[in-house]
Amino acid sequence: MRRFFVGCNIHFESELEKEIREFWPYLIELDGRPHAHALTILETVPGGLLLEAPLHIGLQINFFSKLANRVLLRVKEFKVRDFPKLFQTLQSLKKDPLLQNLKFNYQVSASESRLNNEKRLKEILLEVFGAETEDSEQSLFLRMHQDLCSLSLDSTGLHLHKRSQRTSQGAAPLRETLAAFCVRKLIGDEGIAFLQKFTLVDPMCGTGTLLREAATLYQPTLRHDFSFLQWAQTPKIFKSSQLRNNYPEFHPLFAGLKGLDRDEKSVERAQASLQALGHSSEISNEDLFKTTAKSEKLCWVIANPPYGERLKAEFTPRDL
């Protein structure tokens, strides 16, 4: 069993736990079949959850979580009060198979600790694990808090909110993690059968982030640049081009997606992005306050409206 720290935005912790419990049954064993491991959450702290799971189960959180920022594999956690002892312990960890043949960039933090010298802590990492490669996708995190040292290996790499692979964005972009949180709060505990009665409308859709997250909320994100895919210990099944076939196809949450925006370039980007997903969507270049109202029999509305400090907006929430 391994320990994983799943990081998230502050105050997202309870929703993150709910999300993990929802997708946990869909994770797979090394033979591609459903697993039977219980979800064991050891601790909830501001900014994330610490949980325990087999290596191949914990790594799959990267595929499914839409709220997490990154997934850290806890290599070791130990108490230490002096630098020689720290060096000795880290030296023994060099033999861990997960740390073999990797070049790292180092992330160091210290607080309320007798070893409250981040420069010296990094020097020890350099002595033990070798020179730093700043542009490496492999990050080794050392955190000292009081007398407790945590050494963690980043399994994620590029931040988990970067899953749309968008090459351009609008004037007021919304992070995918925030968009997913908003969609989850909108649907609450409603089931897909109920949601399929509605069209989801974003009247100020920009490049379509909210609609895109609604379309893919329960779909795995099988990026090719996750850090753990470069580890020698990573199971081969996760490197297979047929991996997606091991996960179920989830039905779209809504009957359709509809968006409008007054910026023509944003609309073009939204159209391209949603068409690539293969979901039913209608994106039009219209100004909400100038267009003729169009009747929707059953619709839910979600929006991230521009406001004064980001974009000039000549309306109030009541007008909207």
Side-chain angles (χ1 to χ4, degrees), residues 194-261:
F194 175 79
L195 297 174
Q196 277 282 301
K197 299 176 184 178
F198 301 91
T199 294
L200 183 65
V201 180
D202 185 345
M204 301 176 182
C205 68
T207 56
T209 304
L210 283 165
L211 296 177
R212 188 169 54 248
E213 288 303 308
T216 60
L217 193 65
Y218 296 116
Q219 296 287 352
T221 304
L222 303 181
R223 286 182 356 204
H224 299 294
D225 60 353
F226 286 121
S227 295
F228 74 85
L229 294 177
Q230 299 178 23
W231 300 352
Q233 297 296 310
T234 295
K236 292 182 179 179
I237 188 173
F238 299 138
K239 302 178 182 181
S240 169
S241 60
Q242 303 301 314
L243 175 61
R244 183 175 288 277
N245 296 336
N246 292 282
Y247 296 116
E249 282 294 326
F250 295 92
H251 296 292
L253 288 177
F254 295 92
L257 304 172
K258 183 174 181 178
L260 52 143
D261 199 274

Side-chain angles (χ1 to χ4, degrees), residues 80-266:
V80 61
R81 298 182 179 182
D82 59 73
F83 288 115
K85 178 66 174 179
L86 175 65
F87 178 85
Q88 183 181 16
T89 305
L90 293 179
Q91 190 73 24
S92 68
L93 293 176
K94 283 185 66 175
K95 300 177 182 178
D96 191 312
L98 281 168
L99 303 180
Q100 302 304 305
N101 303 316
L102 296 176
K103 295 182 179 180
F104 302 110
N105 69 73
Y106 302 113
Q107 307 293 329
V108 176
S109 65
S111 61
E112 302 177 28
S113 171
R114 303 183 189 198
L115 307 185
N116 196 24
N117 185 330
E118 294 181 357
K119 181 179 179 180
R120 179 58 185 141
L121 291 172
K122 188 168 185 178
E123 288 175 350
I124 291 177
L125 285 175
L126 291 168
E127 291 177 45
V128 174
F129 296 105
E132 181 175 35
T133 304
E134 292 187 359
D135 60 350
S136 173
E137 296 178 0
Q138 303 296 328
S139 297
L140 195 60
F141 286 73
L142 188 149
R143 180 176 182 265
M144 283 295 315
H145 180 64
Q146 297 178 352
D147 293 332
L148 189 65
C149 177
S150 300
L151 186 71
S152 303
L153 182 59
D154 178 23
S155 71
T156 303
L158 191 65
H159 199 285
L160 277 177
H161 86 266
K162 296 186 177 181
R163 51 178 170 268
S164 65
Q165 299 181 356
R166 58 187 178 188
T167 56
S168 58
Q169 56 191 23
L174 179 67
R175 278 196 170 194
E176 285 91 336
T177 43
L178 298 178
F181 182 85
C182 292
V183 172
R184 289 183 59 84
K185 285 298 186 182
L186 174 72
I187 65 178
D189 295 322
E190 300 293 353
I192 290 180
F194 175 79
L195 297 174
Q196 277 282 301
K197 299 176 184 178
F198 301 91
T199 294
L200 183 65
V201 180
D202 185 345
M204 301 176 182
C205 68
T207 56
T209 304
L210 283 165
L211 296 177
R212 188 169 54 248
E213 288 303 308
T216 60
L217 193 65
Y218 296 116
Q219 296 287 352
T221 304
L222 303 181
R223 286 182 356 204
H224 299 294
D225 60 353
F226 286 121
S227 295
F228 74 85
L229 294 177
Q230 299 178 23
W231 300 352
Q233 297 296 310
T234 295
K236 292 182 179 179
I237 188 173
F238 299 138
K239 302 178 182 181
S240 169
S241 60
Q242 303 301 314
L243 175 61
R244 183 175 288 277
N245 296 336
N246 292 282
Y247 296 116
E249 282 294 326
F250 295 92
H251 296 292
L253 288 177
F254 295 92
L257 304 172
K258 183 174 181 178
L260 52 143
D261 199 274
R262 66 184 187 183
D263 183 75
E264 186 175 354
K265 289 185 177 180
S266 293

